[in-house]
Amino acid sequence: MKKNITKNLFLYIVFSTFFACNSDEKQTVVTKTNLVMSDEFDTNGAPNSSLWSYNIGTGSGGWGNNELQYYTDRPDNVVVEDGMLKITAKSESYMGSNYTSARILTKAKYEKKYGRIEARIKLPWGKGIWPAFWMLGANSDTVVWPQCGEIDIMEYLGNNPTRVFGTVHGPGYAGGQSISKGYTLPNGRFDTDFHVFGIEWDENYINYYIDDVLYNQITPADVPGEWVFNQPFYIILNIAVGGNLPGSPNSETTFPQTMLVDYIRVYE
């Protein structure tokens, strides 16, 4: 999913166990209400080119995670229709890979320092399916990851459709040492309905929420290295297939699998 990152499922389970959501968390979810950017995905065709670009190909080492997909800009893999963005992972032979998908990003087109960043998403499912809504520091081309910083607003393993997790990566706390926390739906599944995934981010905190539940806060005191989240970041949406964290699809994984994004909104 990320650049030069080595996560694994064991560490995810450890995070899930030791950083479980507490039922007594009653913090306020929304404090930033001035809408400054939105993509409502209401114009059919390719994603808005003034906002979105594409990563193409297999990246270095499967985007640093031994992922199996080839990212394209084809309508088969990424399109806006029916009032939403559709990112689709397919099982097919393409450019030497056995799977295709898409990864779109706002790099150099829309970058934001602080704010409430949220998206309403319905997730796919199946072993080896790894969708994410996340951000990288705007200086990612000039410094080596994780010095640029990474904010994973939502990651999800398709074989566990009731649970997502949010994470930060930075110098000294990246990959398997990242700062992460999971959230489990009390009712329902993430692949059967839409949910709002977001952060509220300011100088000294990143708050993680799903729908109306604020399930985690990360501050400079929580990270064992430099706090690198005081700069602009850009937004990324993708579905990876396989890789270090979810493992490969198995015989029960059906394709195609699609992530539906109703909107992305940014407030300050």
Side-chain angles (χ1 to χ4, degrees):
M1 191 73 60
K2 325 299 182 238
K3 297 170 68 176
N4 303 323
I5 169 178
T6 55
K7 291 181 179 176
N8 57 58
L9 186 55
F10 171 75
L11 285 165
Y12 166 65
I13 294 170
V14 171
F15 289 140
S16 301
T17 302
F18 289 97
F19 295 92
C21 184
N22 294 321
S23 60
D24 61 352
E25 294 178 10
K26 303 294 185 183
Q27 302 130 308
T28 300
V29 173
V30 172
T31 64
K32 302 177 187 297
T33 58
N34 178 36
L35 184 66
V36 294
M37 188 280 279
S38 72
D39 194 337
E40 304 296 321
F41 302 113
D42 52 9
T43 301
N44 288 348
N48 181 355
S49 61
S50 68
L51 186 61
W52 299 102
S53 300
Y54 306 87
N55 284 137
I56 302 294
T58 58
S60 174
W63 302 98
N65 302 289
N66 297 310
E67 297 164 24
L68 303 177
Q69 78 287 334
Y70 190 104
Y71 284 134
T72 86
D73 59 0
R74 304 178 306 163
D76 282 357
N77 296 117
V78 56
V79 69
V80 176
E81 60 184 10
D82 304 322
M84 62 191 69
L85 172 72
K86 301 179 179 180
I87 296 179
T88 299
K90 302 182 69 177
S91 175
E92 60 178 334
S93 179
Y94 185 85
M95 300 294 288
S97 296
N98 292 323
Y99 302 94
T100 60
S101 186
R103 182 158 103 176
I104 63 172
L105 60 163
T106 65
K107 183 179 180 180
K109 295 184 176 184
Y110 184 81
E111 296 167 349
K112 188 74 173 73
K113 178 181 177 181
Y114 309 144
R116 174 159 64 102
I117 299 98
E118 67 179 25
R120 184 172 183 263
I121 303 173
K122 183 179 178 182
L123 293 168
W125 73 281
K127 171 67 174 174
I129 305 298
W130 185 10
F133 167 40
W134 53 295
M135 305 176 75
L136 280 176
N139 62 347
S140 60
D141 283 343
T142 59
V143 302
V144 176
W145 183 93
Q147 184 65 43
C148 62
E150 177 179 322
I151 304 171
D152 300 329
I153 300 173
M154 178 280 298
E155 284 187 279
Y156 162 90
L157 304 181
N159 61 322
N160 193 357
T162 64
R163 191 167 182 82
V164 298
F165 51 106
T167 307
V168 294
H169 304 258
Y173 50 101
Q177 288 72 49
S178 58
I179 307 301
S180 185
K181 186 173 183 179
Y183 176 80
T184 299
L185 274 178
N187 298 290
R189 294 162 51 127
F190 287 110
D191 62 318
T192 58
D193 204 354
F194 285 87
H195 295 271
V196 176
F197 306 93
I199 57 169
E200 281 212 345
W201 165 36
D202 218 320
E203 181 178 4
N204 292 310
Y205 66 87
I206 302 172
N207 285 344
Y208 283 80
Y209 62 89
I210 295 172
D211 300 324
D212 58 353
V213 176
L214 179 58
Y215 72 95
N216 196 25
Q217 181 179 80
I218 300 174
T219 72
D222 298 315
V223 304
E226 180 186 359
W227 181 259
V228 289
F229 306 104
N230 298 135
Q231 61 161 326
F233 277 60
Y234 57 87
I235 299 168
I236 307 168
L237 287 160
N238 70 293
I239 300 178
V241 180
N244 297 336
L245 185 56
S248 297
N250 61 22
S251 60
E252 297 180 356
T253 308
T254 61
F255 288 91
Q257 289 291 330
T258 300
M259 176 167 66
L260 303 177
V261 186
D262 184 27
Y263 61 75
I264 288 185
R265 296 173 183 167
V266 178
Y267 301 80
E268 60 183 23

